[in-house]
Amino acid sequence: MSTSFPFLQDWMDKTPQDHPLADLITEATGNSPADSFASATVTAFENIIEALETARPERRAGVRRDFRNARTFDDDLLIVRAEMLAGAKLARAGIPFDFGRRNGATDPDLVLREMNLGIEVKARRLDGLRELHDELKTALADIDPPVLVHLMPDSQPLTIKPDKRAEVVAETVQRVRSGNLGTAVTVIHQPWSARTRLRLSLGIYQADDLPNGSLVAVTNGFWDSEPGPHLTDVESEVRLALQDEQKIRQAKSMPTILLVDAARTGSAYIRSPKIWARRLETLLPDTTPFVGAAVMVPTIEDPDVGISLGVRANLSDQDRAAVDELTRRLGLTRV
C-alpha cells in the first residue's frame, strides 16, 4: 500500500533529484513492504522531522538547510541526522530547546531553554576496513575476469591511514593483473592505535562466475580474543572530541554535554550502555569545560535512540541538578 510522508516531503521540497533519500522515498511511497529497509528508514525520518516540527525550536531552518544540502548518505545525511535525532528526543520528552546559531557562533548544537544546558553533537564515520573494502572494490571494478578478494585482519582497525590503504590497493591490483593468486600477509604499523601492528591477510581467488564483477569480502573473526584494543581506540576518539578547540569554545559558552554519535565509529555498539556510561566518566578530567560526555549508537531505521552519559565529578550544585533532571526526563543510562 502506498504511504505518504508529509513532514519529510516538506523538508525534501526543492532538494536535488540526487538527494540521498530520494530513491528510498520513491520506493517507500510505492508498494514497498512496511518492514523493508526503504520503508523503515523513510518512516524513521518522518517521525524525527514530525517531532521537530511539532516542537518548533528556533533555528531549525539551519538544520533543514543542511538536510537539504546533503549529497552523501554515509557522511552528509547521517551527520545532520544525529543532530535531528537528539532534537527529536528532547521534543518527545517535552523539553523546550532551540538549535544553536551556526556559521562560527559559539553556541552548542542544541540549547535547552529552561535547564541552562547545551548539547554539542559529534558524528563521524571511522571504519578502516570498510574504507579499504570500498577502495578495493572500486579499483577492481574494471578488471576482467573478476576475482574474489578476502580480507582477514587479526584485529579491528578503527582507521587505516590513506597512504597505507593506497599501498594495499595498488599491491592487490598488481597481484590480480599478474595472476598472483592465493594469500599474502601485510603488516600495517599503526602507532596511534592501542594495537600497534595490524596483520592483514589478503587472499585472491578465481571467481569467473561472479555476475557483478569482483567481490571483496571481509571476515571479522577476532572479537572472542580482543575487543579491548578496538574499544580503546573508540574511547580515544571521544577524548579527542573533548579536546577539540572549537567544541571547547562552545562548552565554555554554557554548561554543555558532548554527545557522540558512535554508530559509525568502528564497532562501538558491542559495548553495553552501562559500561559506556562508566567509561565515559573516566574520560572527563576535572579540568574539562564539559559537564558530561555521552554516547549514542542509533540505527537508521529507528527514530529514537538510547544514550549513555558520564558526568564530570566536580560539577556545581546547579549544573548537577540540571544534568540529573535531563537524565530523568530522557531516561539516560548513567552509573
Side-chain angles (χ1 to χ4, degrees), residues 96-297:
F97 75 98
D98 296 307
F99 289 106
R101 292 171 296 172
R102 292 167 125 72
N103 301 321
T106 58
D107 294 357
D109 291 321
L110 302 114
V111 178
L112 283 57
R113 298 178 200 154
E114 300 174 357
M115 292 186 185
N116 190 35
L117 276 179
I119 298 175
E120 176 64 19
V121 182
K122 170 74 172 179
R124 183 184 176 195
R125 181 168 74 120
L126 289 171
D127 189 338
L129 282 178
R130 171 52 56 182
E131 291 174 330
L132 179 58
H133 169 279
D134 293 348
E135 291 171 10
L136 277 170
K137 189 166 180 60
T138 298
L140 297 171
D142 297 327
I143 294 181
D144 193 58
V147 294
L148 169 64
V149 175
H150 190 191
L151 296 176
M152 294 171 286
D154 67 344
S155 67
Q156 171 105 356
L158 189 61
T159 61
I160 301 175
K161 297 296 186 182
D163 60 333
K164 296 300 181 183
R165 297 200 308 268
E167 288 179 12
V168 173
V169 170
E171 291 171 3
T172 303
V173 170
Q174 191 277 330
R175 286 178 58 198
V176 171
R177 291 191 184 281
S178 63
N180 184 13
L181 305 182
T183 300
V185 175
T186 298
V187 176
I188 299 175
H189 296 279
Q190 41 187 27
W192 61 88
S193 170
R195 179 74 180 267
T196 58
R197 294 173 75 253
L198 171 68
R199 189 175 182 273
L200 180 64
S201 175
L202 195 149
I204 303 174
Y205 309 99
Q206 288 181 336
D208 298 348
D209 57 344
L210 289 173
N212 299 313
S214 295
L215 177 66
V216 180
V218 178
T219 297
N220 298 321
F222 40 79
W223 284 124
D224 287 344
S225 59
E226 60 151 55
H230 178 73
L231 291 172
T232 298
D233 289 345
V234 174
E235 287 182 7
S236 295
E237 291 301 317
V238 177
R239 186 179 292 108
L240 286 173
L242 288 167
Q243 298 169 353
D244 182 89
E245 291 185 4
Q246 179 183 352
K247 297 196 180 302
I248 286 174
R249 287 195 298 271
Q250 291 163 328
K252 288 180 177 179
S253 69
M254 68 182 304
T256 298
I257 294 170
L258 175 69
L259 173 60
V260 177
D261 178 349
R264 298 171 302 134
T265 304
S267 297
Y269 63 87
I270 68 170
R271 173 174 281 170
S272 72
K274 198 72 175 179
I275 294 178
W276 259 123
R278 186 179 306 126
R279 291 299 303 162
L280 287 167
E281 291 204 346
T282 71
L283 301 179
L284 288 162
D286 291 347
T287 55
T288 183
F290 291 94
V291 299
V295 162
M296 63 179 180
V297 186

Side-chain angles (χ1 to χ4, degrees), residues 54-96:
T54 301
R56 302 187 66 80
E58 292 184 7
R59 289 178 289 277
R60 68 187 181 283
V63 178
R64 177 173 175 167
R65 182 167 54 252
D66 290 348
F67 171 87
R68 285 177 165 176
N69 291 337
R71 291 295 173 269
T72 63
F73 193 96
D74 282 343
D75 292 314
D76 297 346
L77 185 61
L78 293 188
I79 286 174
V80 69
R81 187 185 189 274
E83 192 174 339
M84 294 164 59
L85 185 64
K89 192 170 185 71
L90 293 171
R92 294 191 195 97
I95 299 174

